Amino acid sequence: MTNDEQFEIQFRWKEEVIYWEGHRGFAFDGAWGVDPIETYVPDDENWDRVMPDWLVGRRDLVVGRLVADPSHLVRAVPGLN
């Protein structure tokens, strides 16, 4: 997938943010009941270790897309898996 292909960020249920590229999606945990809503992502050191193959090596792109959505605050969490 190139940087200009379609993606979607879906806020679902209370603590789940789904990042979609085509038919593939990944659910990030989050915290609701706070303002703004928070979405948790693995830190740079752990990203490739804990993410599915299709997201390995793509942290900057994916996190950049998440951060660009003003509906939430994105926080990197050390050791998140």
Side-chain angles (χ1 to χ4, degrees), residues 5-32:
E5 291 192 53
Q6 294 288 356
F7 71 96
E8 178 184 359
I9 299 169
Q10 178 185 28
F11 295 87
R12 195 168 83 183
W13 191 229
K14 292 188 176 181
E15 292 90 17
E16 194 173 62
V17 175
I18 313 294
Y19 173 81
W20 291 97
E21 289 183 356
H23 67 279
R24 297 182 296 191
F26 184 83
F28 290 96
D29 291 330
W32 295 48

Side-chain angles (χ1 to χ4, degrees), residues 1-7 9 19 21 47 54-55 57-68:
M1 173 166 283
T2 62
N3 292 355
D4 58 347
E5 291 192 53
Q6 294 288 356
F7 71 96
I9 299 169
Y19 173 81
E21 289 183 356
W47 180 275
W54 64 279
L55 291 175
R58 301 180 63 228
R59 184 181 189 278
D60 289 344
L61 174 67
V62 174
V63 172
R65 289 174 169 173
L66 291 168
V67 168

Side-chain angles (χ1 to χ4, degrees), residues 39-44 47 59 63 73-80:
T39 299
Y40 303 126
V41 299
D43 63 4
D44 192 47
W47 180 275
R59 184 181 189 278
V63 172
L73 178 65
V74 177
R75 293 196 185 275
V77 179
L80 185 67

Side-chain angles (χ1 to χ4, degrees), residues 31-49:
W32 295 48
V34 295
D35 189 20
I37 297 166
E38 295 182 1
T39 299
Y40 303 126
V41 299
D43 63 4
D44 192 47
E45 183 178 324
N46 291 292
W47 180 275
D48 287 348
R49 180 178 61 80

